[in-house]
Amino acid sequence: MPNNTARRPLRVAATVELVSLIVLLTNLFTVHVPAIASLTGPVHGCAYLFSIGAVIRDRQRTTAAVALAVIPGIGGMLALRGLPTPQARAGTAPQTP
């Protein structure tokens, strides 16, 4: 069984990045409360930068994954999909029970 805890920070940051973007855009196109924007904006920015850093620090990173990570809003999620799994690097297919 592969160790999935190595990418957990990237998964969390990518999720926060996407959710905070949705909150920002929903706020912008509906009620436009400045307090929501001033709280969610920095959270989104930090999650975006953390996602990029987490992809760059990943030992199995590819150039494509790093390029995907810099896309604002959804880059973290796209980079997660673009990173090879430990089974793919080892040349073995994942076993399903």
Side-chain angles (χ1 to χ4, degrees):
M1 172 140 311
N3 184 3
N4 290 329
T5 60
R7 290 196 181 139
R8 185 171 292 155
L10 176 57
R11 290 182 198 284
V12 171
T15 304
V16 169
E17 178 186 5
L18 182 60
V19 170
S20 63
L21 178 66
I22 291 169
V23 170
L24 280 169
L25 292 176
T26 303
N27 180 46
L28 179 66
F29 294 120
T30 57
V31 293
H32 194 57
V33 177
I36 293 175
S38 66
L39 175 68
T40 312
V43 169
H44 174 71
C46 288
Y48 171 64
L49 292 175
F50 189 89
S51 294
I52 293 171
V55 171
I56 290 172
R57 289 182 51 105
D58 194 302
R59 291 182 180 182
Q60 297 177 339
R61 71 182 175 274
T62 61
T63 305
V66 174
L68 288 172
V70 298
I71 299 173
I74 60 169
M77 290 290 184
L78 293 174
L80 269 173
R81 293 181 59 107
L83 287 171
T85 60
Q87 295 92 357
R89 280 288 189 165
T92 60
Q95 297 177 359
T96 55

